[in-house]
Amino acid sequence: MSSSSQMVEGVWDAIVVGSGASGGVAAMTLAEGGARVLVIDAGPNLSSSEALTSEPGNLMRRLAGLMSGQHRRQAQHPGYWKANPRLYADERLHPYHHPPDRPFLWTRGLQVGGRSLTWGGITLRLSDEDFTGVQLEGEEVSWPIRSQDLTAHYSALEQFLKVHGGSNHLTHLPDGATEPALPSTAAEQRFMEAVADQLGIDVIPSRGFGPHDPSRDGPWPRSSSCGSTLPRAMATGRVQLLSNHLVERLELTSSGSKATGVVAVNQANGNRYLIPGDLVVLAASTIQSVSILLRSSEQVQRGGVVDPSGRLGTRLMDHVSTSQFFAFPGSSSGPQPPLTGAGSFFIPFGRHLHQPSDQPTFQGGYGLWGGIGRFDPPAVLKRRANTTTGFLIGHGEVLPRADNRVTLQGQVDRWDVAVPHINCQWSANELAMVDHMRGRIQACISAAGGESLPIKDLFYLPLVEPFLKGAVALTEGAAPPGYYIHEVGGAAFGCDERSSVLNSSNQLWRAPNVLVVDGACWPTSAWQSPTLTMMAISRRACLLALRDRTA
């Protein structure tokens, strides 16, 4: 993909802010619909050889990033330890803030392709059970759409991306238009059978992307926008890419009823540019998009964004999670298949959970993601002979609470751009869910004959052990918000401007030529991995915008 380091000229039919999963879909959909599209990304346009580097170079870069302070928060996530650390934002140049007693671990991918380059690649649809939402403080928090509104978009994306997944006929986890499921390891098959036999719990092959095959996929993985939607968008000849420019805010008419473009900051020198456009699509990632809207609000600038609901920035959510490693009887033989979105398994409880009457109850659902025999180190680094290593990670639905929010409190970055202050914490509902998760995790591991152990009792890790002390991934409680990198909310869409920031077509109520198509538009978090649904929402919203344009 080529990009322009020169300032662009003219008025664009559409400006797409962000080039990750949602932004790539937006650019592709709009360009194939005939629009001239400018895609703006805050980070550099890396080549595949720059982005997809390997060990031991990655390890050296991680150690440098940790010692310099570049990645102290983001290194808490396990994904940091298997990817090129260059794909994680430099926290010194791109700060954010939170109350000292309410940590938020915000992972950012500031490069063309965004976090799609580090996405785990699990693709789960939401069901009507999820879209009906939750009850909270006397309010029914529901989605303005239902399954039928996204089915065609899910199918189009699944077929284009060639994701894998079986047909499991679960009403709370709809089947997709997928390639056949990838095979499980022998250990995973034994685990799945034991859990089903002893506990009556279904364990299914995960749904998502298989391993990257350069001979089939090209230099970029299909799970990234760089390897799927962006090349297809660029192939139309109607798309230009502007990298290394951070969108600070929207420019609007004096009444605030229409966006006329965006103000972007060149990350090389801090120069600001006004870029005109007829349609602005925010797909910069949840907190980034909310921050752009906050910096554009009528409270900050005359003629700014009007939010009748007063809810902009509120009800931020992330999946609450907890994890457990375990030793599974029997050594694996032969090469280990990689751990991928489709190369793993899922226990999709959803909201179908037995909650004992003698324990605190909670609202919402969760699922358990796992794998066995896919990441064992060489035998010399294993502490447990004749075992295979497995893990289970629970991720659960979080309630949209008004006091979990993103605000601007005066802090700025090196170019005087206001940065977000994130105030988010788990409620008693999420903590009760984590207790339930841990009980289910332990029950499943025990039923299959495994032994739950901390990672330090499974592996010798001489180089990284100093960095693992106190790591949130290795604790038994709930990791802090942000850890699971599934943040959503802050600019919810809905059916009434008094209770939502966007209408059901993802448009700002009072400035309908602004769309928000990433996780910021979610009214509730559901429990499934959100990226496929974000992409489906982006495709739907952009097709609706094209229809309005031609009308």
Side-chain angles (χ1 to χ4, degrees):
M1 290 174 298
S2 63
S3 65
S4 172
S5 58
Q6 303 298 316
M7 259 338 289
V8 293
E9 296 182 353
V11 179
W12 294 87
D13 295 331
I15 297 171
V16 175
V17 183
S19 62
S22 298
V25 169
M28 177 183 74
T29 304
L30 292 167
E32 291 185 341
R36 290 179 61 253
V37 181
L38 176 67
V39 178
I40 306 178
D41 198 278
N45 186 21
L46 304 175
S47 67
S48 59
S49 59
E50 291 172 319
L52 307 177
T53 52
S54 58
E55 308 297 347
N58 281 348
L59 178 59
M60 297 299 104
R61 283 183 282 272
R62 285 186 205 106
L63 297 177
L66 288 169
M67 288 186 288
S68 67
Q70 281 180 276
H71 303 133
R72 282 180 182 158
R73 288 160 162 157
Q74 294 166 103
Q76 293 282 0
H77 193 273
Y80 178 82
W81 295 89
K82 65 179 184 179
N84 177 3
R86 187 173 182 177
L87 302 178
Y88 293 79
D90 187 332
E91 297 165 13
R92 302 167 304 178
L93 301 180
H94 303 282
Y96 68 99
H97 300 275
H98 57 73
D101 59 341
R102 296 183 181 181
F104 190 95
L105 299 177
W106 187 19
T107 295
R108 288 164 290 172
L110 298 183
Q111 65 276 327
V112 173
R115 295 191 306 199
S116 73
L117 289 168
T118 54
W119 178 28
I122 295 174
T123 57
L124 303 177
R125 294 189 181 196
L126 271 62
S127 72
D128 279 333
E129 186 174 286
D130 306 296
F131 292 129
T132 55
V134 296
Q135 294 284 335
L136 182 62
E137 297 170 352
E139 179 184 6
E140 181 178 308
V141 184
S142 181
W143 292 57
I145 59 174
R146 293 295 182 264
S147 292
Q148 63 182 10
D149 296 301
L150 291 186
T151 297
H153 307 292
Y154 277 138
S155 295
L157 290 165
E158 289 161 341
Q159 290 166 348
F160 167 54
L161 297 170
K162 294 182 170 58
V163 297
H164 297 269
S167 295
N168 306 109
H169 310 296
L170 302 172
T171 57
H172 65 288
L173 186 64
D175 294 332
T178 56
E179 304 287 308
L182 294 185
S184 304
T185 66
E188 287 169 347
Q189 192 61 43
R190 287 190 286 125
F191 178 94
M192 294 163 76
E193 291 171 356
V195 170
D197 289 345
Q198 295 197 35
L199 301 179
I201 295 173
D202 290 328
V203 187
I204 65 172
S206 187
R207 302 173 186 174
F209 291 89
H212 176 216
D213 180 353
S215 65
R216 176 196 64 198
D217 305 327
W220 296 98
R222 285 178 294 114
S223 55
S224 71
S225 58
C226 298
S228 54
T229 52
L230 287 178
R232 186 163 145 177
M234 301 294 283
T236 65
R238 289 187 284 272
V239 177
Q240 186 171 334
L241 177 62
L242 180 65
S243 57
N244 267 320
H245 282 72
L246 175 80
V247 170
E248 179 180 26
R249 59 181 176 84
L250 307 176
E251 185 79 2
L252 296 102
T253 59
S254 59
S255 65
S257 62
K258 181 180 179 181
T260 57
V262 301
V263 174
V265 182
N266 187 328
Q267 293 301 284
N269 55 27
N271 291 340
R272 283 168 167 79
Y273 303 91
L274 173 61
I275 306 174
D278 292 331
L279 176 73
V280 177
V281 182
L282 296 184
S285 81
T286 294
I287 295 172
Q288 298 280 31
S289 291
V290 169
S291 298
I292 291 169
L293 291 173
L294 289 170
R295 293 193 291 260
S296 310
S297 72
E298 61 179 343
Q299 284 76 33
V300 175
Q301 63 182 33
R302 179 176 295 180
V305 169
V306 177
D307 169 33
S309 72
R311 295 191 176 198
L312 177 60
T314 71
R315 296 160 177 82
L316 179 69
M317 298 162 279
D318 179 34
H319 282 150
V320 66
S321 65
T322 186
S323 61
Q324 180 65 59
F325 291 90
F326 60 93
F328 193 69
S331 298
S332 56
S333 58
Q336 295 184 94
L339 177 67
T340 65
S344 47
F345 62 83
F346 230 93
I347 307 178
F349 290 114
R351 298 179 181 179
H352 299 262
L353 296 159
H354 170 65
Q355 297 190 42
S357 58
D358 61 343
Q359 296 178 9
T361 59
F362 55 88
Q363 188 179 178
Y366 67 81
L368 304 179
W369 178 53
I372 311 173
R374 296 181 182 271
F375 57 94
D376 270 315
V380 68
L381 296 178
K382 290 184 66 173
R383 295 182 185 270
R384 297 278 174 145
N386 300 316
T387 64
T388 305
T389 305
F391 74 91
L392 283 174
I393 298 177
H395 59 258
E397 191 168 356
V398 169
L399 298 181
R401 296 188 178 276
D403 52 356
N404 285 338
R405 62 188 304 160
V406 179
T407 56
L408 304 178
Q409 297 196 356
Q411 300 100 334
V412 297
D413 70 4
R414 57 183 172 153
W415 304 128
D416 205 34
V417 176
V419 300
H421 181 88
I422 306 169
N423 189 340
C424 188
Q425 66 176 343
W426 302 135
S427 70
N429 191 81
E430 286 81 52
L431 298 178
M433 180 182 288
V434 167
D435 287 343
H436 194 279
M437 276 184 199
R438 293 209 64 82
R440 289 284 80 189
I441 287 172
Q442 297 298 339
C444 290
I445 292 171
S446 297
E451 181 183 5
S452 299
L453 292 167
I455 198 168
K456 65 182 179 62
D457 293 341
L458 291 167
F459 304 150
Y460 296 100
L461 300 170
L463 284 178
V464 298
E465 277 183 2
F467 298 104
L468 295 178
K469 292 179 180 178
V472 297
L474 306 180
T475 61
E476 292 192 355
Y483 168 80
Y484 211 75
I485 321 183
H486 286 175
E487 65 271 11
V488 295
F493 66 164
C495 297
D496 190 323
E497 69 172 19
R498 294 170 298 180
S499 58
S500 58
V501 178
L502 313 170
N503 67 20
S504 60
S505 299
N506 293 80
Q507 302 166 308
L508 281 176
W509 280 106
R510 298 289 179 91
N513 72 326
V514 177
L515 306 182
V516 181
V517 299
D518 54 25
C521 74
W522 287 41
T524 70
S525 73
W527 62 270
Q528 297 89 329
S529 301
T531 307
L532 178 67
T533 300
M534 292 178 189
M535 296 168 78
I537 288 171
S538 183
R539 184 176 187 270
R540 173 183 179 267
C542 290
L543 287 173
L544 291 173
L546 286 169
R547 185 189 66 186
D548 291 345
R549 179 170 176 257
T550 56

